[in-house]
Every structure is written in structure tokens, then in C-alpha cells.
Amino acid sequence: MSQSQYEGLISNDDPNAIHLVVLTGMSGGGKTVALRALEDLEFYCVDNLPSALLPQLVEAATRGDSHRRRIAVGVDVRNRDEDFQHMPKVLSALANTVQVHLIFIDCSDAVLTKRFSETRRRHPLATRGRSLADAIAEERRLLRPLMAIAERVIDSSDLNVHQLRRFIATGYAQTTAGLTLMFQSFAFRRGLPLDSDFVFDARCLPNPHWEPTLRPLSGKDGPVREFLERQPLVAEYEADTARWLDAWLPRFEADDRSYVTISIGCTGGRHRSVYLVEKLAAHYRATREGVLTFHRELE
């Protein structure tokens, strides 16, 4: 996909505008991934909300001290009582007070069938006596009114999890100030992420993998964090990486770049790289909007 396809999903002409992104589409298409990407961009996110409750959500989220300018809601067929014929009226009424963006994530039937088969997940409309193919067809019929009025239809058939996340983040980063940063962890043994702008190698650091009690955990877990925080070399590596990024990221912002991916790898992509990604993301979230994380080997 070209850069032009990523741009313009949200205009930021009015810095005080309230944006409501409604994510819908086919089960297995990637709505959860898209919602996580928006959550990383500091959208207030709610999943599987009945459309009738959208006005109350917007009112509650935008009033008083809890005022939020970016809201994202996932709507899908898991809510069996939802009447998708009525949603266009709800969204039309909301458009009088907020900027509404209806995004439909589509996917080919063949890819959806493969995804459900590989993950052994049950389609929400698959019941006794209804095949997966019939469930997918029924879902398409139910969602047809929303697809017809969607601001954007994103086909995720040829996108992996990270590519879809990047697509969403790049398009909606316009609601944040400055450069959007994606920090991602990976395993060198599975190859480099091809969309990396910068790659850092953490294989030189002490490895929690060799501690039997830590091996099944990840860099997000307390015992692993505590182990790595006790290692002076890890703290030095983290500080040096942050200093390097602090020195060079402004050059990219000055060059009108809107998105930079920083990849940190270790042998298995579960401990050291995950820990460093979380630490660096927290460091930059303290001073800027639009900081995302992705752990390739944990997805």
C-alpha cells in the first residue's frame, strides 16, 4: 500500500474537534487489532457497544474534567440484539456534535475461513446446524447497511497483524501532535521486521531465558522486569538508546515524517526486547502523544 493510502483518514484542521471512530466489519478481519492501535494513540476505546448507547457514551466521555477528544468504539455481531439498520440514524444524529468516522474492516471469505480454521476460534454466528461459510455469509448480510455508508473500507485480506496496526495508526496519527512512534519487539531467529526504520540488538544483555522460573514469562511480567532492572548493563543500554533517539527523532520531525518504527530484537523476542520496548514507550509517552507498542512474538 502506498503512503497516500495511509494519509487523510482524519483531518486535524480543528484542534478542538471531537472525533468518534466507529470500527465495525467482519469477525476475524482485525477489529480488535485496530482498536488496540487507536488505544495506543490515546483514544478512549470501548469494544462491543450497542449502537443505541453511543450518544450516552459520547456525552459521558466529553463532559466535565474527563473531557476526551478522541473516542473509538467497536461494534459487531457479537451483540445479538443489535439492529444495524438503525445505526445510520444514530451516527447521523451524532454528526451534529462530533466528527464521526465509520470504518469497516473487510476480509475475503477465503482468508476468514483460513483464520478461523487455524485459530480454532468459533465464529460468533456459527451455531449448531450452521456452517462457518453460512455464518460468514449471514454476517455480511447483517453488516451490509454499515459497509454501504462507511467512510473507509479497509481490506485486511493481505495484511498481517502488524501491517493492519500500522495502517490504522498512520491514518489516525493526524489527531496527535508530532511524530508517531511505533516500538516493536521481535526475535532475531524469526527474521528482521521489514518495515523497521531503526533496529536495536539486545542479545548482548543478560537473558532471563536461562532462569527456569522466568522462561515461560515475558518482559511484561513482574519477575522478569525485576530481574532485568537489577542488571546495570540493561539500564545502560536503555539510557543509551533513549539518548540516541532523543538526538535523532527531531531530525525526522523536521523532515515532515509522521511515523517511525523502532524495532528491538533479542533471541526469542519474549524477554529483553519486550522489556525494553515497554520501558522506552513509557519514557516517550510522558512527553508526547502517539506512542504505540507491538510485540511480534507475543501476538
Side-chain angles (χ1 to χ4, degrees):
M1 293 186 179
S2 67
Q3 181 65 27
S4 62
Q5 288 176 281
Y6 291 117
E7 294 170 349
L9 295 185
I10 281 186
S11 169
N12 202 27
D13 294 338
D14 181 1
N16 297 314
I18 297 171
H19 296 279
L20 170 66
V21 176
V22 178
L23 283 168
T24 189
M26 301 299 294
S27 300
K31 294 187 303 298
T32 300
V33 172
L35 202 61
R36 285 179 185 168
L38 293 174
E39 188 171 32
D40 282 342
L41 287 171
E42 300 185 1
F43 277 73
Y44 179 72
C45 295
V46 179
D47 194 16
N48 196 25
L49 185 77
S51 60
L53 298 180
L54 277 171
Q56 292 94 314
L57 172 67
V58 171
E59 181 184 359
T62 57
R63 70 185 175 199
D65 295 336
S66 63
H67 180 80
R68 297 175 183 271
R69 197 167 55 84
R70 298 186 296 273
I71 306 165
V73 177
V75 176
D76 56 51
V77 295
R78 285 176 294 170
N79 189 334
R80 303 300 177 92
D81 297 326
E82 182 71 87
D83 183 353
F84 297 106
Q85 296 284 348
H86 292 159
M87 184 176 282
K89 284 185 179 180
V90 174
L91 298 181
S92 178
L94 283 169
N96 293 321
T97 55
V98 301
Q99 294 191 18
V100 177
H101 312 272
L102 177 60
I103 308 301
F104 191 100
I105 301 182
D106 198 10
C107 189
S108 71
D109 290 1
V111 172
L112 289 175
T113 301
K114 182 180 179 183
R115 288 177 182 174
F116 276 102
S117 299
E118 288 178 345
T119 61
R120 298 185 180 180
R121 287 173 51 206
R122 184 172 174 270
H123 191 283
L125 295 183
T127 59
R128 186 172 298 177
R130 177 184 281 170
S131 67
L132 175 59
D134 289 341
I136 292 172
E138 175 65 7
E139 184 175 37
R140 286 201 184 280
R141 185 189 69 79
L142 291 172
L143 294 177
R144 194 172 295 128
L146 299 188
M147 188 176 184
I149 63 168
E151 178 180 303
R152 282 292 176 103
V153 176
I154 299 172
D155 188 345
S156 70
S157 303
D158 297 323
L159 300 177
N160 61 33
V161 169
H162 178 52
Q163 289 168 331
L164 176 58
R165 192 171 182 135
R166 177 168 183 149
F167 184 92
I168 294 293
T170 303
Y172 289 95
Q174 294 185 47
T175 65
T176 66
L179 191 68
T180 296
L181 305 180
M182 167 69 85
F183 288 93
Q184 66 174 330
S185 63
F186 71 96
F188 272 98
R189 67 186 180 192
R190 289 191 57 202
L192 292 173
L194 298 180
D195 55 357
S196 304
D197 293 300
F198 302 112
V199 175
F200 295 91
D201 187 346
R203 289 176 293 183
C204 61
L205 301 178
N207 192 352
H209 174 82
W210 302 117
E211 298 288 332
T213 59
L214 302 181
R215 188 172 301 173
L217 304 178
S218 81
K220 289 184 172 184
D221 294 312
V224 174
R225 294 199 310 269
E226 292 167 8
F227 172 88
L228 292 170
E229 285 167 358
R230 292 195 298 267
Q231 312 298 324
L233 199 61
V234 174
E236 183 180 353
Y237 189 101
E238 178 192 338
D240 286 346
T241 304
R243 276 194 294 270
W244 192 90
L245 291 171
D246 286 342
W248 287 98
L249 288 177
R251 309 292 181 94
F252 283 82
E253 288 181 301
D255 197 36
D256 292 330
R257 284 286 292 272
S258 62
Y259 195 99
V260 168
T261 298
I262 300 107
S263 301
I264 303 176
C266 60
T267 306
R270 293 185 54 84
H271 296 113
R272 294 164 291 182
S273 58
V274 170
Y275 170 83
L276 287 167
V277 159
E278 292 294 324
K279 290 286 285 185
L280 288 166
H283 168 75
Y284 284 101
R285 282 178 180 140
T287 57
R288 63 165 68 222
E289 296 180 326
V291 178
L292 299 91
T293 59
F294 179 74
H295 301 292
R296 192 179 74 178
E297 319 311 340
L298 300 186
E299 293 292 327

